[in-house]
Amino acid sequence: MIEIKSGRDIETMRESCQMAADTLLLVGDRIRAGMSTDEINTFVHQDTVRRGAVPSPLNYHGFPKSVCTSVNEVVCHGIPGAYVLKDGDIINVDVTTFFKGFHGDTSATFYIGEPSPEARLVVEVARECLARGIAAVRDNGRIGDIGEAIEDYAHSHGLSVVRDFVGHGIGRKFHTDPQVAHYRLPKNAPNPRMKAGMVFTIEPMINLGGWEVEVDKKDKWTARTRDRKLSAQFEHTVLVTAAGCEVLTRRPRHLVNSEPKVDLTAAL
Ligand code: MF3
Ligand code: CO
Ligand code: CO
């Protein structure tokens, strides 16, 4: 069952989603070489609490920190720690804010200093994959339309799409129905219709090499590409509307340290 949200619920989700978006903007203003991922965690934690909200990741199924920080070959669920960011790194920061009973979930990949051509490619394709996934959202469309648009674009640049993690319904629960695959669904897979009032995330993880990932045996969270090549991700929480969709985690200004480094659509 995919929940259809009431007008009141949507109003509150706008608030939690805008808080997450704002915290992510502030991360972008601060993130730089020499900063540890623990410092990012401290900032996100304090910024969330000062808004009267709670960081959803903290203690979620035992997750030990308040934000996910996924550097270079880490696909998702990186745990903040002593690692110090260095020039040429890419890092996804995934912020989820719980406010007035609702979660808002958004992430972006940042450039630390000057990226390599490979880093630019994977980050800019991931950015455009999210845009194309969002463009596929419409009332009465199919959830599978999203993954089709994303996979086609990633493959057009020779990149792969992670299959082990998907977007998700969100609201009073962090993760709920529907599952939003970022790849083309098999013919026989459930492929529900999108309906106005549904809220879910789209969060494609795009790899420079193969799509296979492995989860760290010790910490049980950190997911890395099996071939240790780069991975990048962007995430928004979206509401299906009669007109198409509303990006609930839309940013009121551009992110610093995640400006597009090359226009890849021009080449298509
Ligand atoms: N924010 C992640 C997502 O996009 C989930 C993180 S779960 C955690 O779904 F426990 F690692 F925080
Ligand atoms: Co999510
Ligand atoms: Co997230």
Side-chain angles (χ1 to χ4, degrees):
M1 255 303 286
I2 308 173
E3 189 194 13
I4 304 294
K5 277 161 177 89
S6 69
R8 255 181 95 232
D9 288 359
I10 289 165
E11 268 307 311
T12 313
M13 282 213 76
R14 272 196 197 100
E15 294 185 69
S16 62
C17 286
Q18 281 300 301
M19 283 185 178
D22 215 50
T23 299
L24 190 62
L25 276 172
L26 296 180
V27 167
D29 294 344
R30 284 160 178 75
I31 201 163
R32 60 186 158 73
M35 193 179 216
S36 72
T37 52
D38 243 340
E39 289 175 73
I40 298 168
N41 179 71
T42 300
F43 175 77
V44 169
H45 185 90
Q46 290 179 347
D47 190 70
T48 304
V49 168
R50 109 182 138 74
R51 296 170 195 273
V54 171
S56 310
L58 188 59
N59 300 318
Y60 180 75
H61 292 281
F63 192 79
K65 298 280 183 165
S66 298
V67 65
C68 296
T69 53
S70 302
V71 179
N72 295 336
E73 75 282 0
V74 178
V75 171
C76 63
H77 302 166
I79 302 173
Y83 181 80
V84 174
L85 295 170
K86 61 177 195 316
D87 216 68
D89 281 346
I90 58 171
I91 176 176
N92 175 277
V93 178
D94 192 339
V95 173
T96 314
T97 302
F98 184 69
F99 181 68
K100 291 189 188 167
F102 289 88
H103 299 272
D105 193 7
T106 187
S107 83
T109 300
F110 298 95
Y111 293 111
I112 306 302
E114 261 319 288
S116 66
E118 288 188 328
R120 287 176 195 230
L121 177 68
V122 72
V123 172
E124 295 315 317
V125 170
R127 193 193 311 279
E128 179 66 17
C129 280
L130 174 56
R132 293 190 179 212
I134 290 169
V137 175
R138 61 177 185 85
D139 188 28
N140 282 317
R142 297 270 181 191
I143 289 285
D145 302 347
I146 297 166
E148 247 180 67
I150 291 169
E151 181 178 286
D152 286 350
Y153 186 73
H155 286 181
S156 78
H157 284 280
L159 304 191
S160 67
V161 178
V162 169
R163 305 180 71 87
D164 298 41
F165 302 98
V166 297
H168 50 91
I170 182 167
R172 293 184 185 278
K173 287 165 77 172
F174 193 168
H175 295 99
T176 183
D177 283 346
Q179 294 199 34
V180 182
H182 304 110
Y183 49 88
R184 188 172 261 95
L185 292 171
K187 290 248 181 303
N188 55 351
N191 188 4
R193 279 194 193 279
M194 296 182 255
K195 294 286 177 193
M198 289 181 179
V199 177
F200 51 79
T201 73
I202 306 176
E203 48 183 298
M205 285 142 273
I206 305 301
N207 294 354
L208 198 57
W211 58 267
E212 296 89 348
V213 310
E214 56 190 33
V215 175
D216 190 283
K217 285 194 185 63
K218 287 197 195 119
D219 73 27
K220 306 276 182 60
W221 282 104
T222 310
R224 294 185 181 80
T225 55
R226 210 164 73 187
D227 57 19
R228 299 298 189 264
K229 292 188 177 175
L230 295 175
S231 184
Q233 179 181 27
F234 289 83
E235 174 176 28
H236 274 306
T237 298
V238 305
L239 163 72
V240 183
T241 65
C245 93
E246 177 182 335
V247 178
L248 297 176
T249 46
R250 192 160 73 136
R251 293 180 279 273
R253 63 174 167 88
H254 290 295
L255 281 172
V256 177
N257 286 304
S258 188
E259 295 91 356
K261 293 285 184 183
V262 61
D263 182 8
L264 294 163
T265 48
L268 276 185

